[in-house]
């Protein structure tokens, strides 16, 4: 069966799918009213579904994506620039959580949103490891502190002072690594994937941005990620899928506090040319 199919009864031959195909494999030959993908070009399809989604007439489909299977775009739900600016400015790194656990189904829904993040060549290579048990999150934070202790001697004096604060905090019962979050979502991707870190970072960003809509707070786990790249005991504990590297982690839980104002940030540094 052909990868790209067109219903000739619906197709108007307007060439929109030809223009929008990212790999330009759809052809509209003169004299032939319906577009097609030559068999030898099918291997270049990214399965992005743009041809299906952009056709106003519901004429195009690819294997696994018929127009009827694709939800309709709700343009009446599109927020304006003021709302989007406020939404993005209001995103916060949440570092204090209630002890309440988040239902697995809710975490699954949150991760489900992240799968719509863009990925290089639509490869969708990001995989998630969810540490659901709060005691296990705490244990991973402890292994990260062990990594910090082991690295102290090779650090500059300033870095060592900072690390010592984390270690002292841990020893007095303050978790500055995972912030006492009940859950951790770890994004990983095949080590062979050249865009592994970027794809994971975007997926994690989607997850962080979506979290408040579920009543949740999130915070990047950069320190834990650094440890997971280097510290074998933590790597063993994470047990990532074979051949995958850790690219980022997100703490997740119910925020203990709410914010009332939007903090300021540096002005954008822009060089305009041309
Ligand atoms: C890649 C990355 C790693 C981060 N790692 C940590 C971390 O390990 N612990 C932490 O508390 N915050 C971490 N953060 C959150 C930043 O500190 C935070 O974004 C910054 O202080 C600004 O605050 P805001 O996110 O509320 O705007 C990280 C953020 C990014 C993007």
């Amino acid at each position: 069966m052909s990868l790209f199919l067109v219903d000739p009864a619906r197709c108007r031959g307007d060439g929109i799918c030809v223009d929008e195909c990212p790999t330009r494999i759809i052809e509209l030959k003169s004299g032939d009213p319906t577009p097609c993908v030559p068999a030898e070009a099918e291997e270049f399809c990214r399965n992005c579904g743009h041809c299906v989604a952009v056709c106003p007439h519901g004429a195009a489909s690819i294997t696994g994506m018929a127009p009827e299977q694709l939800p309709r775009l709700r343009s009446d739900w599109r927020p304006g620039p003021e709302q989007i600016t406020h939404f993005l400015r209001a995103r916060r790194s949440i570092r204090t959580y209630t002890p309440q656990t988040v239902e697995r189904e809710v975490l699954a829904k949150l991760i489900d949103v992240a799968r719509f993040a863009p990925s290089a060549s639509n490869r969708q290579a990001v995989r998630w490891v969810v540490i659901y048990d709060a005691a296990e999150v705490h244990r991973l934070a402890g292994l990260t502190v062990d990594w910090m202790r082991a690295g102290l001697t090779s650090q500059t004096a300033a870095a060592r002072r900072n690390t010592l604060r984390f270690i002292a905090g841990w020893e007095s019962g303050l978790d500055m690594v995972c912030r006492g979050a009940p859950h951790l979502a770890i994004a990983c991707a095949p080590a062979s994937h050249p865009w592994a870190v970027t794809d994971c970072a975007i997926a994690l960003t989607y997850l962080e941005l979506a979290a408040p809509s579920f009543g949740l707070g999130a915070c990047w786990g950069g320190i834990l990620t650094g440890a997971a790249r280097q510290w074998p005991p933590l790597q063993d504990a994470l047990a990532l899928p074979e051949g995958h590297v850790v690219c980022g982690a997100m703490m997740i839980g119910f925020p203990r506090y709410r914010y009332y104002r939007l903090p300021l940030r540096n002005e954008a540094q822009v060089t305009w040319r041309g």
Side-chain angles (χ1 to χ4, degrees), residues 91-93 95 179 219-223 251 265:
R91 179 212 51 79
R92 286 280 71 75
S93 297
R95 300 191 178 88
R179 309 280 178 182
C219 183
W220 283 76
I223 303 167
M251 311 160 207
R265 293 288 181 261

Side-chain angles (χ1 to χ4, degrees), residues 46 50 56 64 72 101 103 110 120 128 132 150 165 186 191 200 205 215 233 235-236 250 253-254 257:
R46 290 180 180 165
H50 281 208
R72 280 209 171 266
T101 55
E103 284 177 32
L110 185 59
W128 297 93
Y132 188 72
R165 289 183 63 248
I186 291 160
C200 286
T205 300
Q235 290 166 341
D236 291 346
M250 198 66 72
F254 289 102
Y257 304 114

